[in-house]
Amino acid sequence: PRQAMSRNAHAPADRPLARDSAVGYLRARYPRGLVDEPLFWSPAGARAAEAARRPHEWPRIRPFLAPKRPLPSPSGRARTVLFADTYAAWWFPHSWTFLNGDEVLRAISALAGAIDSIPDVRLVVRAKPKPECDLDALMHHVRPSAACEVKMRDVPFEDDLARADLLVSFHSTVVEEAVAARRPVLLWGGTNRHRFLPARTTPPSSASDRAIVYAAEASTALPRMVGAILEAHARRPLTDHEVASYVWPQGTPDIDDLAAEINRRIGHHRELDGKESPLATR
């Protein structure tokens, strides 16, 4: 069987334009007629595949565990919010479910302004190096205060996430990576046209009344929302029970298990052929 694995973020969409974009994005990575068993690293991705599947296609949609583990709580005094997202260039055909460069600037500017109004909170903006919105453009338009650090991707994402109490993003793999690491997520991009995952739009009231994924519907809601999320979540990582519906359960095959399965298949071909199989060199 022809197996394909995509690390990209996929999730089912609930509106026609978003669904067209989400299905096109998924199909670009799992081309029709070229994949027998699609592999997905999150339940949301598997649900997106099921929604995009045509009759009699993909009789087996397989999960695999991504090598992400819970991260310990940050040890610093200051509570930290991490903004990380990708964005689509204007020509990108699936841009309905992604931010564009202008929206990234608006999202970061509004978030930075909200953080300035919350005591003892710092913002780290982890930007993706693209010519449409480079570091100079970010610094010029955002004009970060002392409580905000704007930088390009200079260390592995896990290193920045380990220092954060909250991740803010719109549509990116980092959303699911943060949940797997037991960090809450706020969906924010300066637009309400799409929501990558179902999200709570009211602030949490306490550590016993909280969610995993939140969404801010307007920039005016950011100060109260961010402050409440930090009060309910900072130094209190999400529990296994809370994230159970967002991650595959323990015992799900990981990448090493899939590699071992392919290796066994190669060995079986060798036994059948009595000679070196072409599969062994692929």
Side-chain angles (χ1 to χ4, degrees):
R2 298 166 299 178
Q3 297 172 322
M5 177 189 298
S6 165
R7 190 189 172 279
N8 301 95
H10 302 286
D14 59 355
R15 289 187 287 177
L17 278 173
R19 187 178 187 279
D20 180 72
S21 176
V23 170
Y25 185 61
L26 186 146
R27 283 293 182 177
R29 283 137 185 86
Y30 298 90
R32 186 173 288 115
L34 296 178
V35 179
D36 300 309
E37 290 183 355
L39 309 172
F40 287 90
W41 62 294
S42 76
R47 291 194 299 271
E50 186 60 41
R53 186 178 70 89
R54 288 189 170 185
H56 311 298
E57 183 187 29
W58 298 343
R60 192 181 188 193
I61 297 172
R62 299 187 61 181
F64 74 95
L65 278 177
K68 294 292 178 185
R69 293 174 292 278
L71 293 174
S73 295
S75 56
R77 282 182 53 194
R79 297 173 297 174
T80 299
V81 176
L82 173 64
F83 179 92
D85 205 286
T86 187
Y87 66 90
W90 283 98
W91 56 264
F92 191 61
H94 313 306
S95 58
W96 183 262
T97 57
F98 288 84
L99 297 179
N100 59 47
D102 292 340
E103 289 167 337
V104 165
L105 285 173
R106 289 202 300 270
I108 295 173
S109 296
L111 183 61
I115 297 295
D116 283 343
S117 68
I118 307 173
D120 301 321
V121 178
R122 63 189 298 266
L123 172 64
V124 176
V125 176
R126 178 185 169 93
K128 188 171 186 177
K130 288 188 175 183
E132 188 177 310
C133 186
D134 59 16
L135 185 59
D136 287 342
L138 281 169
M139 297 298 289
H140 175 77
H141 290 284
V142 176
R143 301 190 183 280
S145 68
C148 177
E149 174 190 355
V150 179
K151 63 171 189 169
M152 290 298 171
R153 299 178 179 183
D154 57 346
V155 297
F157 172 69
E158 193 171 77
D159 292 356
D160 281 331
L161 186 63
R163 299 185 294 145
D165 297 286
L166 168 67
L167 173 80
V168 181
S169 190
F170 183 76
H171 179 174
S172 171
T173 58
V174 298
V175 171
E176 293 179 302
E177 290 181 75
V179 173
R182 307 305 191 265
R183 297 292 193 269
V185 173
L186 173 63
L187 299 180
W188 166 250
T191 173
N192 286 317
R193 70 170 174 270
H194 177 64
R195 194 164 289 166
F196 174 58
L197 292 173
R200 173 173 169 165
T201 57
T202 57
S205 61
S206 67
S208 60
D209 171 43
R210 66 184 195 178
I212 296 88
V213 181
Y214 301 86
E217 297 183 313
S219 59
T220 53
L222 285 173
R224 181 166 175 251
M225 177 67 83
V226 171
I229 293 173
L230 292 174
E231 287 296 319
H233 288 270
R235 309 306 190 260
R236 301 183 186 93
L238 296 170
T239 65
D240 292 348
H241 175 72
E242 285 177 300
V243 304
S245 62
Y246 291 84
V247 299
W248 295 120
Q250 292 301 314
T252 301
D254 61 18
I255 294 175
D256 289 342
D257 295 323
L258 295 174
E261 177 185 312
I262 293 171
N263 198 43
R264 287 193 298 272
R265 195 179 302 151
I266 291 172
H268 179 64
H269 272 264
R270 286 176 176 170
E271 291 178 4
L272 291 178
D273 295 346
K275 59 183 179 180
E276 183 77 8
S277 168
L279 282 174
T281 62
R282 292 183 184 175

